[in-house]
Amino acid sequence: MKTKNKGFATKLVHAGDPPDVYGSAVTPIYQTSTFAFESAAQGAARFAGQEQGYIYTRLSNPTIKALEDKLAELEGGYGAVALASGMAAVSTAYTTFLRQGDHMISAQAVYGPSRALAETLFAGFGVETTFVDTSDIANIKAAIRPNTRLLYLETPANPTMSITDIAAASSLAHEHGIITVVDNTFSSPYLQRPLALGADVVLHSLTKFINGHADIVGGALIAREEDIYRKLHHNMVLLGSNMDPHQAFLVTRGVKTLALRIEKAQASARQIATWLESHPQIDWVLYPGLPSFAQYELATRQMDGPGTMMSFGVKGGLRAGITLMNEVKLALLAVSLGGVETLIQHPASMTHAGLSPGARAAAGIPDEMVRFSVGIEDVEDIIADLEQALTKVAELNEAAVAG
Ligand SMILES: *Cc1c(COP(=O)(O)O)cnc(C)c1O
């Protein structure tokens, strides 16, 4: 279906859907590994790229292609590849743009495994990475070397919510012939479109907002230009990092409600962030929609909305954080984000419990930090849940003072 000049919510529903022989309303699951040719000549023509058509599911498949075409249109790119996971997208991107002896500049506050992949496997392949605070463009400029090939950004960053100016960073990178990749997982194309700001490639963990229902893992890379798309597709086929048709079907179903889900959760997030900021048991709140947020102006300019993710500091440090985790009843204690369910996570007692308090502080993860992903439940219920759990935290803090 042609959706040029259509609004975003219309694209979410209709973009990418190919006509189906039976007129089915949704693209079916083509659960097949291979596609039969009508003749040897047709097989030859497909392999030579002279005839459109499918060959083998690792290369392409109608269900996966429908999702890829939708994602490309949503991000405003030439083409997209759908991948097995967000990390399959990260590894396929690194592999496409980096060779032995090359240098990458990466955001310091980047998704943990994206950093680990650079520091372990790619360091072993002879690729050096410099991690800088990309919220200050001067840091990127200072890190550029003659062999820098890739600038890898994530904005807003996790869990600090720090924002990088995508237009300024991409323009600096282009002056030096450097490819810019932006991990857009935290915003989704509904709130931020990095290709329009000058980035070359957008990366997604589809596991999060785009699928939105916490029932699959998936990833995607969306390229602004044809030659980059072709390289990404070529490497996906060789690496076998492709998605499977059933996964693609679920993501295509999930993404159709992206606008509704984000509008609902974002309205709640604004209300929750404001409420938390004035709560006596809360020290600080990091949410791009709060005027107190350090990069409020840049966030407002670059994004169409502040999103549904926030971090906050609970008074009483580690013990208070653990108490909050144990007392919430509605919010699920879980990593991941961007689903219909509200999720809460306490890095010091969960994802980063293995580090010493000193190492955590050095990584910018203080013991009082809580990460919160707002879902689409009724906001009154989410606030009531936090309220009753924070009452328990207050009791703990008062007992600590008394005792
Ligand atoms: C979850 C996540 C990833 C990795 O995605 P998976 O689907 O878990 O492999 C990458 N980047 C960000 C920002 C994420 O939140």
Side-chain angles (χ1 to χ4, degrees):
M1 170 167 287
K2 272 222 152 26
T3 55
K4 286 235 156 50
N5 305 320
K6 293 274 166 60
F8 198 88
T10 306
K11 287 184 190 174
L12 282 173
V13 178
H14 294 292
D17 275 347
D20 171 69
V21 283
Y22 298 111
S24 69
V26 298
T27 305
I29 309 175
Y30 286 88
Q31 194 73 45
T32 183
S33 58
T34 196
F35 298 83
F37 308 128
E38 281 164 11
S39 65
Q42 186 183 55
R46 289 212 184 150
F47 271 103
Q50 292 155 350
E51 184 192 295
Q52 290 278 309
Y54 295 96
I55 298 172
Y56 186 62
T57 284
R58 177 157 46 75
L59 282 60
S60 198
N61 170 294
T63 315
I64 302 170
K65 185 73 165 65
L67 172 63
E68 291 171 336
D69 288 350
K70 193 190 285 286
L71 294 174
E73 195 160 336
L74 295 174
E75 287 285 3
Y78 170 84
V81 290
L83 299 140
S85 67
M87 283 311 297
V90 177
S91 55
T92 302
Y94 287 1
T95 307
T96 299
F97 301 116
L98 297 166
R99 294 289 172 275
Q100 184 174 29
D102 286 351
H103 175 244
M104 161 162 76
I105 300 171
S106 171
Q108 202 166 33
V110 76
Y111 183 68
S114 304
R115 179 168 186 145
L117 183 62
E119 286 179 329
T120 58
L121 265 91
F122 279 78
F125 296 154
V127 173
E128 226 186 303
T129 305
T130 308
F131 295 92
V132 301
D133 176 0
T134 53
S135 67
D136 184 349
I137 298 296
N139 293 335
I140 302 176
K141 196 166 194 170
I144 292 174
R145 302 180 191 171
N147 61 338
T148 305
R149 296 281 171 267
L150 182 60
L151 173 63
Y152 189 89
L153 303 175
E154 190 179 312
T155 178
N158 174 26
T160 59
M161 305 306 297
S162 93
I163 312 262
T164 298
D165 185 334
I166 298 171
S170 313
S171 131
L172 173 67
H174 283 159
E175 281 169 31
H176 293 84
I178 298 166
I179 293 278
T180 305
V181 174
V182 177
D183 183 336
N184 202 27
T185 300
F186 256 52
S187 301
S188 91
Y190 184 61
L191 298 178
Q192 176 172 277
R193 287 162 306 280
L195 300 182
L197 297 169
D200 300 291
V201 175
V202 165
L203 183 148
H204 276 289
S205 167
L206 303 175
T207 314
K208 316 296 166 55
F209 288 99
I210 291 190
N211 180 59
H213 293 74
D215 50 11
I216 58 102
V217 294
L221 293 165
I222 301 102
R224 194 156 56 123
E225 286 165 12
E226 182 176 357
D227 66 321
I228 292 181
Y229 163 75
R230 293 204 178 282
K231 283 181 195 156
L232 293 170
H233 181 264
H234 178 81
N235 291 336
M236 174 195 78
V237 170
L238 293 182
L239 292 165
S241 51
N242 57 288
M243 181 173 269
D244 82 67
H246 188 249
Q247 215 180 345
F249 172 82
L250 285 173
V251 180
T252 301
R253 186 172 72 160
V255 74
K256 291 181 185 182
T257 55
L258 181 71
L260 293 172
R261 287 186 277 111
I262 292 194
E263 284 298 341
K264 167 80 178 165
Q266 182 172 257
S268 302
R270 286 183 194 273
Q271 202 175 324
I272 293 164
T274 306
W275 176 79
L276 282 172
E277 207 170 32
S278 64
H279 194 285
Q281 297 306 316
I282 300 297
D283 266 333
W284 47 264
V285 180
L286 295 175
Y287 178 62
L290 287 175
S292 62
F293 185 69
Q295 294 173 289
Y296 178 75
E297 190 275 325
L298 172 60
T300 308
R301 174 157 46 91
Q302 178 161 283
M303 301 165 71
D304 291 341
T308 72
M309 296 296 302
M310 66 187 75
S311 295
F312 55 85
V314 55
K315 278 192 185 136
L318 189 62
R319 283 206 322 154
I322 292 171
T323 302
L324 184 65
M325 292 304 109
N326 286 333
E327 295 297 337
V328 287
K329 296 186 170 63
L330 176 66
L332 301 180
L333 268 60
V335 296
S336 196
L337 58 110
V340 294
E341 318 72 7
T342 294
L343 303 181
I344 192 165
Q345 197 238 321
H346 180 225
S349 68
M350 295 167 75
T351 44
H352 296 73
L355 299 181
S356 68
R360 279 199 295 269
I365 298 166
D367 284 354
E368 70 271 21
M369 178 184 266
V370 172
R371 198 185 77 174
F372 204 62
S373 172
V374 179
I376 63 167
E377 303 95 337
D378 292 304
V379 66
E380 296 79 11
D381 292 337
I382 303 172
I383 290 179
D385 187 36
L386 286 172
E387 173 92 84
Q388 62 83 23
L390 287 169
T391 302
K392 301 283 174 22
V393 171
E395 286 165 16
L396 178 91
N397 287 340
E398 278 154 28
V401 172

